[in-house]
Amino acid sequence: MDIRLEPARMEELEPIWSLVGRTVVHMNALGNPQWGEDYPTVDFYREDIRRGELYAAYVGGTLAGVACINTSEAPEYAAMPWTTTPPAVVIHRMAIDPAFQRQGVGRAFFRFAENLARQRGLTALRIDTYSLNHRMQALIQSQGFCRVGEIHLHGRPLTYPCFEKRLGVS
């Protein structure tokens, strides 16, 4: 499958937000209440686009997913026993349209993030996900990440496992 990633554009905000809505409904149907009315909001995606940190994945010209990729870490990350020192490339708010899930779109974002990190001379990727998001945890671990601990975010009672992928020097 040909998957193309590129920076998202502000004129794409409406279809991006629609994709996120479909993703939230699908996540909730799978028993994962990670996202809802309070997080993420359309403003997160608007600001990600404005900063040039939101990337869109296209399959055959159709928007298939988005992810914010940058070096910003939640303050809660400071307590984690990371094996590398910041900065690291961090993946946030990945949303894959349910029609394109399990077709390589998520893996394409991880490859893209790793290439970005290497281009910037950084030695690690980091990500967290909700403890009930078993599908995302499986994807993360399949990409060579190791779990380093867990944090609490967004006032949610359950934890967010944190993962790191150490990149070899090339």
Side-chain angles (χ1 to χ4, degrees):
M1 177 176 295
D2 183 38
I3 302 167
R4 187 179 88 252
L5 272 70
E6 59 186 51
R9 300 181 315 272
M10 198 59 76
E11 58 268 21
E12 296 176 295
L13 185 59
E14 188 174 316
I16 287 169
W17 187 239
S18 179
L19 178 149
V20 171
R22 290 189 301 278
T23 304
V24 170
V25 168
H26 186 67
M27 289 167 63
N28 290 326
L30 293 173
N32 171 16
Q34 177 175 352
W35 289 357
E37 305 243 343
D38 58 336
Y39 180 88
T41 65
V42 70
D43 291 334
F44 280 98
Y45 291 96
R46 180 180 293 112
E47 286 304 303
D48 293 342
I49 293 170
R50 187 188 60 72
R51 289 190 312 271
E53 297 173 346
L54 190 70
Y55 295 89
Y58 301 89
V59 175
T62 301
L63 179 66
V66 293
C68 176
I69 302 172
N70 59 27
T71 56
S72 297
E73 298 184 5
E76 293 84 355
Y77 275 32
M80 290 293 95
W82 305 110
T83 64
T84 61
T85 55
V89 166
V90 184
I91 303 167
H92 311 270
R93 292 181 287 286
M94 185 187 297
I96 310 299
D97 190 304
F100 291 96
Q101 289 183 7
R102 298 184 178 245
Q103 297 181 37
V105 178
R107 289 187 302 276
F109 277 116
F110 282 103
R111 282 191 305 274
F112 180 84
E114 185 169 335
N115 289 336
L116 193 62
R118 290 184 189 285
Q119 289 169 9
R120 295 179 180 180
L122 302 178
T123 60
L125 299 176
R126 295 181 180 165
I127 191 169
D128 65 76
T129 193
Y130 200 48
S131 59
L132 294 179
N133 195 341
H134 304 296
R135 290 176 74 180
M136 185 60 153
Q137 289 178 56
L139 174 62
I140 291 167
Q141 291 177 312
S142 78
Q143 299 304 296
F145 284 73
C146 295
R147 184 177 169 148
V148 297
E150 54 189 39
I151 57 177
H152 284 87
L153 289 171
H154 315 297
R156 300 270 201 255
L158 295 177
T159 58
Y160 286 72
C162 294
F163 300 86
E164 177 182 47
K165 180 175 183 178
R166 190 178 183 126
L167 305 176
V169 179
S170 37

